[in-house]
């Protein structure tokens, strides 16, 4: 039965159609409300669908995450990141022939133009990798702009291949810049994750030497981060893309949004927090701080806007984290603090009542630290993983009619008033009235 929602505005009943979702909640179509002279209000988009999409489905209450219908646990344990990239971009899993040719296409595009490499000369060893990535990915726009038609599906595909291929190279370059080391070119004999690790940690002139367990864990991290429906950075990509901007610049906007500690910067923030706690004896003190309403401190790596029971990515990441720690024989005091924090969060009423569970960032931060990746690189790795998701959403938006994203506002500022000459202006009074 077709549902509708009725609202009454000044005694007039307005019928709003309800759009049926293939999975999950239906959506009230409020577009006609503007003709009734009223807007909807939903800061932070807590209950607003800003688009329709067929890419990723999340059921936050039941801890479900599906890419194109496939459960994240199955993809993380049985596929590879490039297979997932193919799935996201094309909607279906590839055949062996399709996957091999896709891997080949990515491999051949991994090197980065010599000119672009000079962009890193403007940075120092202390520059944050995310600031370099914003610049480098945005800088790709200078190489791929003239002749790029975003309404041409072949051009969009070429853009997708380019970005997925070059992001590991650029991310590894940011790492080597922070180390003051010369860049290392991708090695065609290595797979995607191995190549990233080789470009980060390899030695010029030496044969690549990458542990398969570590490469597998990193590949899983890429898969787990590959898409997450309309999160802040993906919505930023859609919003910037809706202006018809150059896609490389659009992805740079996504990178900027991802950098924030409430989003992709969270796993870096987890490690900073564990380092600040520093000793198991201080855990209780920090837990009390997190519960104190007058203290802005929050337990980093806990809670999620969408997952209110458990984060399915955290479950996979927890296993992978332990596999890496076993392989490397790491007995890290920060991990002991992390495990105790996890226990507390599962036991204390404050966290149980608010459904605050460890999220993926909690475990990915510890895994990356064990691998030897510095915390400032964590969000760059998230960027690498999320790139196919951003491109897929950008492509999905451009494949159908869309409007430039232009939200409305509830205006609470002053009404029209006359300009007063500065000589007779009573500034103190103006400030007081605000
Ligand atoms: N530590 C302590 N208390 C918390 C935390 C936390 N990490 N997260 C939420 N709360 C509390 C809030 O204070 C609030 O309490 P109240 O009801 O008494 O006011 C309640 O839980 C609900 O919090 P909201 O802010 O409304 O939850 P929201 O869904 O808006 O926020 C967010 C989600 C931003 C992720 C939040 O939980 C947070 O800041 N977590 C820490 C940062 C983090 O780990 N971010 C990673 C997100 S996942 C990702 O980007 C891949």
């Amino acid at each position: 039965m077709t549902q509708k929602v009725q609202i009454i505005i000044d005694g007039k009943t307005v019928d709003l159609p309800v759009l049926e979702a293939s999975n999950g909640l239906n959506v009230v179509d409020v577009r006609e409300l503007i003709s009734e002279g009223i807007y909807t209000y939903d800061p932070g988009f807590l209950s607003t669908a800003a688009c329709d999409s067929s890419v990723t489905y999340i059921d936050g209450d039941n801890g479900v995450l599906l890419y194109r219908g496939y459960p994240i646990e199955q993809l993380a344990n049985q596929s590879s990141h490039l297979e997932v990239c193919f799935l996201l971009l094309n909607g279906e899993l590839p055949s062996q022939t399709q996957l091999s040719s896709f891997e080949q296409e990515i491999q051949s595009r991994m090197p980065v133009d010599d000119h672009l490499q000079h962009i890193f000369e403007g940075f120092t060893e202390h520059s944050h990798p995310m600031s370099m990535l914003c610049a480098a990915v945005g800088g790709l726009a200078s190489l791929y702009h003239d002749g790029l038609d975003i309404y041409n599906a072949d051009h969009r595909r070429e853009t997708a291949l380019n970005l997925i291929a070059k992001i590991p190279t650029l991310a590894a370059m940011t790492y080597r810049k922070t180390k003051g080391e010369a860049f290392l070119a991708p090695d065609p004999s290595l797979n995607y994750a191995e190549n990233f690790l080789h470009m980060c940690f390899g030695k010029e002139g030496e044969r690549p030497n990458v542990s398969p367990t570590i490469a597998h864990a990193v590949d899983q991290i890429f898969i787990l981060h590959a898409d997450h429906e309309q999160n802040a950075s993906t919505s930023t990509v859609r919003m910037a893309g809706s202006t018809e901007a150059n896609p490389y610049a659009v992805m740079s906007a996504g990178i900027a949004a991802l950098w924030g500690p409430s989003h992709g910067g969270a796993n870096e923030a987890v490690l900073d927090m564990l380092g600040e706690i520093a000793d198991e004896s201080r855990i209780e003190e920090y837990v009390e701080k997190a519960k104190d309403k007058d203290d802005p401190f929050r337990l980093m790596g806990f809670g999620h806007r969408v997952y209110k029971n458990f984060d399915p990515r955290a479950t996979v990441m927890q296993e992978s984290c332990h596999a890496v720690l076993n392989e490397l024989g790491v007995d890290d005091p920060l991990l002991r603090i992390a495990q105790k924090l996890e226990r507390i969060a599962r036991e204390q009423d404050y966290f149980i009542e608010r459904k605050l569970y460890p999220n993926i960032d909690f475990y990915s931060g510890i895994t990356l630290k064990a691998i030897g990746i510095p915390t400032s690189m964590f969000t760059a790795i998230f960027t690498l993983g999320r790139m196919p998701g951003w491109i897929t959403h950008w492509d999905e938006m451009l494949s159908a009619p869309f409007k430039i994203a232009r939200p409305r506002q509830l205006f609470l500022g002053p009404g029209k008033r006359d300009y007063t000459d500065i000589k007779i202006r009573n500034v103190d009074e103006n400030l007081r009235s605000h």
Side-chain angles (χ1 to χ4, degrees), residues 46 224-225 228 231-232 258 260-267 269-270 273 286-287 289-293 295-308 311 313 350-351 353-362 364 382 386:
L46 268 85
L224 294 171
H225 288 92
H228 214 231
N231 58 86
L258 186 72
S262 295
H263 191 9
N267 55 9
V270 169
M273 177 191 74
Y286 277 83
V287 169
K289 268 164 76 68
K291 287 156 56 176
D292 181 355
K293 285 285 134 228
D295 191 323
F297 175 77
R298 282 186 164 197
L299 280 186
M300 287 295 126
F302 284 79
H304 198 276
R305 168 61 61 80
V306 179
Y307 297 115
K308 297 300 182 193
D311 177 345
R313 302 166 305 168
Y350 176 91
F351 298 96
E353 281 160 14
R354 289 168 182 75
K355 301 189 170 181
L356 299 171
Y357 299 91
N359 56 44
I360 181 173
D361 298 298
F362 189 72
S364 65
F382 192 159
R386 183 55 54 86

Side-chain angles (χ1 to χ4, degrees), residues 390-432:
W390 289 336
I391 304 168
T392 303
H393 283 272
W394 171 78
D395 180 64
E396 182 179 62
M397 182 180 73
L398 285 160
S399 306
F402 66 95
K403 291 206 176 296
I404 183 170
R406 174 54 173 93
R408 301 293 185 167
Q409 64 175 0
L410 168 65
F411 183 68
L412 299 173
K416 179 174 177 293
R417 51 187 172 161
D418 289 325
Y419 177 86
T420 48
D421 190 280
I422 198 161
K423 295 195 205 83
I424 58 165
R425 207 174 290 164
N426 187 343
V427 179
D428 287 349
E429 199 153 287
N430 283 347
L431 285 176
R432 260 202 308 280

Side-chain angles (χ1 to χ4, degrees), residues 112-125 127 129 131-133 135-137 169-178 183:
V112 167
D113 190 286
D114 283 351
H115 291 95
L116 194 90
Q117 297 193 19
H118 292 303
I119 219 166
F120 291 91
E121 286 166 15
F123 292 90
T124 73
E125 291 172 20
S127 302
S131 72
M132 292 191 247
L133 263 193
V137 172
T169 316
L170 292 172
M173 286 161 95
T174 68
Y175 173 72
R176 293 191 81 102
K177 178 76 194 183
T178 61
F183 301 140

